Amino acid sequence: MLRDTPEHALETTERSIELLETIERLKGATVSDLASECSLAPSTVYKHLVTLQSNGYLNERENTYYVGFRFLNLGEHARSRIDGLQLIEDAVQELTAETDEEVDFTVEDHGRVMTVLESYHKWVKYGDDGGAERYRARIGSYYRMHATATGKAILASYPRERVDAIVDRWGLPARTERTITDRTELFAELERIAERGYAIDDQEYADGLRSVGVSITGPDDGVVGAISVSGPSYRLQGDVLRTTIPETIRTVRADLQRELAEANGA
């Protein structure tokens, strides 16, 4: 079923987007799959698929359609437009070396955060049981802001009306028993983040995983994105969680923001 759309949106384009997102969700789909999932005539589905495939947005194999690599090309173009991308990447690598933990940089995109840079060690960081070993931030992956350290760090930098709009759109679904699912509780948490200068994801996205995140602002004081340090809960606890990593990540942030300002002649 087609989603609610803005007044001037084109229904045909919305239909193609719906089909693309359904193919992604199903990890590949046939015309029959899509006709059933989207309540469309097979002939209508086929016309959309042929158009998308001919332009490189879909690949077809044995009558099953998959998201095409054209999106990778467009995504890399979008990422390259981030101001100070190389400086941010250097900061991510520096944090990885200093903490021996996993680090990622995310940006807010239409009310969710997306990982656009990541840094991991070659060895497996998590154990064989629990939920944390199933979590690894992947470039291009979306995450709900209220359940992640980077997301909460960015939300804490936003005015209340913008946070309200994001919550209205995406809600506050639970990822674990620790996820904040109440709007009043979320705003109280955002106030605490603003006061102490960093956010903590205490197993709110995945059981057994903790993260510390800070927002990154550019020379114009606008939010560029956020950086987080993540690791298993048995390592990120006590002084490491509340003092060592926050101090390290805030120091790297200060250096990064100064470099971003210098690069822009501020």
Side-chain angles (χ1 to χ4, degrees), residues 54-71:
S54 66
N55 287 280
Y57 293 100
L58 288 177
N59 294 324
E60 184 267 334
R61 186 170 66 251
E62 297 180 353
N63 298 318
T64 300
Y65 291 84
Y66 302 91
V67 174
F69 289 108
R70 180 72 182 275
F71 288 102

Side-chain angles (χ1 to χ4, degrees), residues 151-243:
K152 290 193 294 181
I154 293 173
L155 288 176
S157 302
Y158 284 170
R160 185 184 180 101
E161 57 269 21
R162 186 167 180 180
V163 179
D164 274 325
I166 289 171
V167 175
D168 288 343
R169 178 173 183 181
W170 296 105
L172 298 171
R175 285 281 312 183
T176 72
E177 293 182 353
R178 295 173 178 263
T179 308
I180 295 174
T181 57
D182 176 78
R183 192 181 298 239
T184 300
E185 184 181 349
L186 174 64
F187 276 105
E189 172 69 359
L190 297 182
E191 288 182 7
R192 288 190 289 269
I193 292 168
E195 290 175 0
R196 70 177 178 236
Y198 62 91
I200 292 178
D201 162 12
D202 187 3
Q203 305 182 74
E204 297 161 51
Y205 182 82
D207 291 322
L209 176 78
R210 289 191 175 117
S211 302
V212 178
V214 295
S215 62
I216 305 299
T217 56
D220 61 353
D221 292 328
V223 178
V224 177
I227 289 180
S228 70
V229 175
S230 302
S233 56
Y234 69 84
R235 272 208 311 273
L236 269 62
Q237 60 179 317
D239 288 343
V240 172
L241 179 68
R242 301 289 175 179
T243 303

